[in-house]
Amino acid sequence: MKNKSAFLMVVALFLVSLNLRPAINSVSPVLSAITKDLGMSAFAASLLTSIPVLCMGIFPAFAVRLGHRLGMERVIGWSLAVIGAGTVLRLFAGSAFFLLGTALIAGIGIAAVGPSLSGFIKQRFPAKVPSMIALYSVALALGATLASGLSVPLQARLQSWQSALALWAVLALIAIPVWWLFVSRKAERPTDGEAGARPPSCLGPAGRPGR
């Protein structure tokens, strides 16, 4: 039973990690269609991918503090919902400002998940940290590759770049219930003493393996 629970937790970790790049990497392949439809300048278009990266540098500290109060499992779950919301809202993108807003929303969610996952891996898999980081990295690369490779075919199939971008919210829709059922629901809220402790970290603030 314990092995089954650990396996399901690993599956949940993989699914969450899979969500950390599609909101960013799905944009570039259809960028020409976006700039044409919305009349975006080159600078504004570049913000679609740079805003999430900026969020990764600004918001991780806030996510860590929130994890102290609510528990890293809950922060990851809610952040995953934020990523999904920012992604699905692209379905309604009719202006450059709105689309940039979705990049900010998704970026905040991505920035919060990265450092929280680092603490989660160190806490739940203390004897398998390298293996879990490897799994996380594979999921990260897979999500980026799928988003980069499938966005143009999806745009052609759906006849809309908005739909092609929003469809990646399906990954969050799958990951959220799995994370809640097998991780968040079983997690205990941190005590006052735990809330004051610094969480362990094995990944960088952008969600990359640290040294």
Side-chain angles (χ1 to χ4, degrees), residues 5 8-13 16 72-74 76 120 124 177-188:
S5 178
L8 292 173
M9 198 174 292
V10 169
V11 171
L13 171 65
V16 169
M72 66 186 79
E73 295 87 357
R74 290 177 178 85
I76 292 169
F120 176 80
R124 296 300 185 95
V178 174
W179 183 262
W180 184 80
L181 282 171
F182 303 123
V183 182
S184 290
R185 192 174 57 146
K186 302 175 182 179
E188 297 180 0

Side-chain angles (χ1 to χ4, degrees), residues 121-122 125-137 202-203 209:
I121 290 173
K122 195 73 175 286
F125 303 98
K128 298 181 179 179
V129 171
S131 299
M132 292 300 104
I133 292 178
L135 181 71
Y136 165 89
S137 299
C202 57
L203 305 180

Side-chain angles (χ1 to χ4, degrees), residues 32-45:
S32 60
I34 294 173
T35 55
K36 181 180 178 181
D37 284 359
L38 301 182
M40 297 179 74
S41 65
F43 173 74

